[in-house]
Amino acid sequence: MPPQEQGSDVELLHAVARGDEGALARLYDQYRVILFGLLVRILNSREEAEDVLQEVFLQVWKRAKDFDQLRGRPFTWLVTLARSRAIDRIRQLGARQRLADSAAQNASGEASDAVTDTLHSEQREIVARALAALPEEQRHTLNLAYFEGLTQSEIAQKLGTPLGTVKTRMRSGMIKLREVLGEETKSLLGPTSL
Amino acid sequence: MVHLDYKELLAAKALTALDAEDAHALDTHLESCGDCRSELSAWEETASFIALEAKPIEPSAQLRGLVLKSVRAEGRSQELARDFVEPGAESRAGQFKSRVLPFEKPHRGVWTSLKSFGAIAAALVIGALIISLLVFWQRERAAQQELARLSSEMQRAKAQLDYERAVVELLTSPDAHMAKLAGTKDAPGAHAMLAYDKNGHAMLMARGLPAVPKGMGYQLWYIKDNKKMPGKVFRPDAAGNGILEDQIPAVARDAAVFAITLEPESGVQAPTGSIYLVSAT
């Protein structure tokens, strides 16, 4: 997102930290679609995802004062918070027994076109291109870690691949992702980008 | 691991994909390494972009209202907490009832429960130890008191035995002298025996004496050539019996008269009271 919007998000978080409910509502309006999509992708359940999204914004309300713009952007902070809650929920629900809610998968395609704005679409395209540039095994390793919350050992076990290989793929994938995203996101994220 | 080894773990850390052991080691290193903390922030930024691969989805319309409602409830809860410490909160006490929100019950995991049970068990063990110590202390104290009582009784018995032995030795001594004392008109039923040896060691055994007033006692006198020499004072028991051990002055050991008068308990140098017992001249 552009520096102007990012600055706006920082101000919103500061306002939330001061107890401004309106600022929280604006943050919700701005990030609900991205975060809900992420949560549905991780949890495979709209119901669980809505529950967790509610928890996430309650956490934002409580912890906005902890946000430090020198350590990261509002987008990163919010996404990290949402993913962390979702991974916790997966682990609560049982060892990798993700809800086999195929309806949720179908639902994921229902509203996306209608709700994504131009900016987020552009970001998604950049990320999609960056991930597409990765070798399949590296992309798959990153997806297992990011969306399923698996550790390196769990990924190695799931894929039947040596742990060292998984570590190498993960690190190589992240390095390449950073390289590809680095140039393209500078224009979107501003001077303090990657 | 060295610094570079930790740096190798940062990308996986940003994906929260490290195994527990590596994660713990890295967390410890991060506490003291600003360079790695800074690099981790950059990796977290990179990882966060992966979220955009997920297809955006619109949550239900009601969710926005639920989020804001839960936030308001949280805000009221915090406000209520502040009211308890803010000056003037008492004046708003009437509003408390309608603003009270139920507290969320803390999740109690198995370990939390086990810790609670462990704490209870530890408290019970400590309580049992304290009670045991108290019981032990009380028993030891009772035993010490019993021991002191027995010791005192034994000392009294020993003193009595020594005394009786002395009496027997005196009476069976070949050079023992005996003097009988008879009751006067003030103590017609009384009588006594005075035994003494050549060294003047004397034992008086009296029977049938009247009870004495408080602060008074019977004093023994040695009389020779009309000279009255004071002896010791004793108080008889409830039956009017009394025993006195004394040392007879050398001058009074031969051809003396012995008498008992009622005198102050501290004794006097010259008789002042009535004579109750007297030996033959």
Side-chain angles (χ1 to χ4, degrees):
Chain A
M1 62 198 65
Q4 187 179 357
E5 185 175 341
Q6 182 194 306
S8 170
D9 288 349
V10 170
E11 289 167 9
L12 283 178
L13 276 172
H14 287 164
V16 170
R18 292 192 299 270
D20 185 341
E21 285 182 23
L24 186 82
R26 287 195 291 282
L27 270 180
Y28 177 86
D29 292 340
Q30 191 159 326
Y31 284 99
R32 73 188 189 283
V33 175
I34 293 175
L35 297 181
F36 190 61
L38 170 64
L39 295 174
V40 170
R41 171 77 180 267
I42 293 173
L43 294 164
N44 266 352
S45 162
R46 281 189 65 100
E47 186 183 2
E48 290 290 338
E50 290 202 342
D51 196 33
V52 172
L53 187 61
Q54 195 177 340
E55 287 181 7
V56 167
F57 275 95
L58 191 57
Q59 283 292 100
V60 170
W61 178 252
K62 291 177 180 174
R63 294 177 49 189
K65 61 181 179 302
D66 296 336
F67 169 72
D68 180 359
Q69 64 188 96
L70 298 176
R71 293 180 57 190
R73 303 168 193 289
F75 169 79
T76 303
W77 192 71
L78 289 167
V79 163
T80 303
L81 186 61
R83 178 177 173 268
S84 175
R85 301 290 293 194
I87 299 296
D88 286 347
R89 179 62 64 94
I90 285 181
R91 288 170 180 161
Q92 282 175 5
L93 291 172
R96 311 303 172 204
Q97 291 296 316
R98 298 173 59 187
L99 301 177
D101 186 355
S102 58
Q105 291 284 25
N106 295 334
S108 67
E110 286 173 0
S112 59
D113 291 342
V115 298
T116 49
D117 57 42
T118 305
L119 181 63
H120 290 155
S121 294
E122 190 178 352
Q123 289 177 321
R124 287 187 60 233
E125 285 174 13
I126 291 172
V127 172
R129 281 201 302 272
L131 287 170
L134 300 180
E136 169 60 25
E137 65 274 12
Q138 291 180 8
R139 185 169 59 248
H140 189 43
T141 301
L142 294 187
N143 279 340
L144 287 174
Y146 195 81
F147 291 112
E148 295 194 23
L150 298 182
T151 65
Q152 291 174 323
S153 291
E154 289 168 334
I155 293 171
Q157 189 176 3
K158 179 169 184 164
L159 299 179
T161 307
L163 178 60
T165 304
V166 170
K167 289 182 176 179
T168 302
R169 286 177 184 172
M170 189 173 285
R171 180 165 168 76
S172 300
M174 285 290 280
I175 290 172
K176 186 154 189 178
L177 188 63
R178 182 170 64 175
E179 288 171 357
V180 175
L181 288 173
E183 288 306 316
E184 298 207 56
T185 54
K186 269 181 184 172
S187 59
L188 294 171
L189 295 174
T192 56
S193 159
L194 300 173
Chain B
M1 282 194 284
V2 295
H3 180 66
L4 287 177
D5 296 323
Y6 290 115
K7 286 173 80 74
E8 293 281 313
L9 300 177
L10 292 172
K13 167 77 174 175
L15 293 165
T16 60
L18 286 176
D19 292 309
E21 192 175 340
D22 285 341
H24 179 70
L26 180 57
D27 285 343
T28 304
H29 174 72
L30 284 170
E31 288 174 5
S32 59
C33 182
D35 180 39
C36 282
R37 283 199 301 272
S38 176
E39 188 170 334
L40 176 62
S41 295
W43 281 119
E44 286 173 343
E45 191 101 38
T46 301
S48 69
F49 281 108
I50 301 176
L52 293 174
E53 203 207 22
K55 193 173 288 185
I57 303 173
E58 180 73 71
S60 65
Q62 300 91 327
L63 191 62
R64 188 179 193 272
L66 288 173
V67 166
L68 295 177
K69 189 177 176 184
S70 62
V71 162
R72 283 188 202 108
E74 178 68 22
R76 283 197 297 273
S77 178
Q78 290 175 348
E79 190 181 342
L80 183 66
R82 281 197 300 273
D83 282 348
F84 280 103
V85 294
E86 284 176 359
E90 296 81 358
S91 63
R92 298 192 296 273
Q95 302 171 23
F96 282 175
K97 189 174 181 182
S98 61
R99 291 160 61 188
V100 168
L101 295 172
F103 287 105
E104 184 181 354
K105 288 185 178 178
H107 174 71
R108 292 178 66 83
V110 173
W111 285 111
T112 306
S113 299
L114 286 176
K115 283 178 184 174
S116 298
F117 288 134
I120 291 169
L124 288 174
V125 169
I126 291 170
L129 281 173
I130 290 171
I131 291 170
S132 301
L133 283 172
L134 282 173
V135 169
F136 177 76
W137 176 74
Q138 284 181 333
R139 285 183 180 172
E140 188 186 11
R141 192 178 173 202
Q144 284 180 343
Q145 287 175 339
E146 179 65 11
L147 188 65
R149 188 184 67 78
L150 290 172
S151 176
S152 173
E153 209 165 86
M154 193 171 73
Q155 284 178 348
R156 279 199 302 274
K158 183 175 183 300
Q160 180 67 22
L161 186 63
D162 290 344
Y163 177 77
E164 290 175 357
R165 183 180 294 123
V167 171
V168 170
E169 283 178 2
L170 179 62
L171 293 176
T172 57
S173 173
D175 56 350
H177 296 271
M178 303 288 182
K180 288 183 180 178
L181 285 78
T184 62
K185 59 180 177 52
D186 292 320
H191 63 276
M193 171 75 76
L194 180 70
Y196 60 95
D197 60 17
K198 63 179 180 182
N199 298 318
H201 180 211
M203 298 291 297
L204 174 74
M205 289 151 283
R207 297 286 185 271
L209 284 168
V212 294
K214 187 177 180 183
M216 303 294 282
Y218 291 112
Q219 185 167 7
L220 178 59
W221 295 96
Y222 309 105
I223 305 167
K224 185 172 184 182
D225 299 333
N226 209 30
K227 182 180 180 183
K228 303 172 184 68
M229 292 162 277
K232 290 184 177 176
V233 179
F234 69 97
R235 286 177 62 84
D237 60 19
N241 302 326
I243 298 176
L244 177 69
E245 183 176 12
D246 201 0
Q247 184 70 30
I248 301 177
V251 68
R253 288 173 196 165
D254 297 321
V257 175
F258 307 102
I260 299 290
T261 60
L262 186 64
E263 305 292 350
E265 197 171 20
S266 56
V268 291
Q269 291 301 310
T272 59
S274 302
I275 298 174
Y276 282 70
L277 287 168
V278 65
S279 66
T281 54

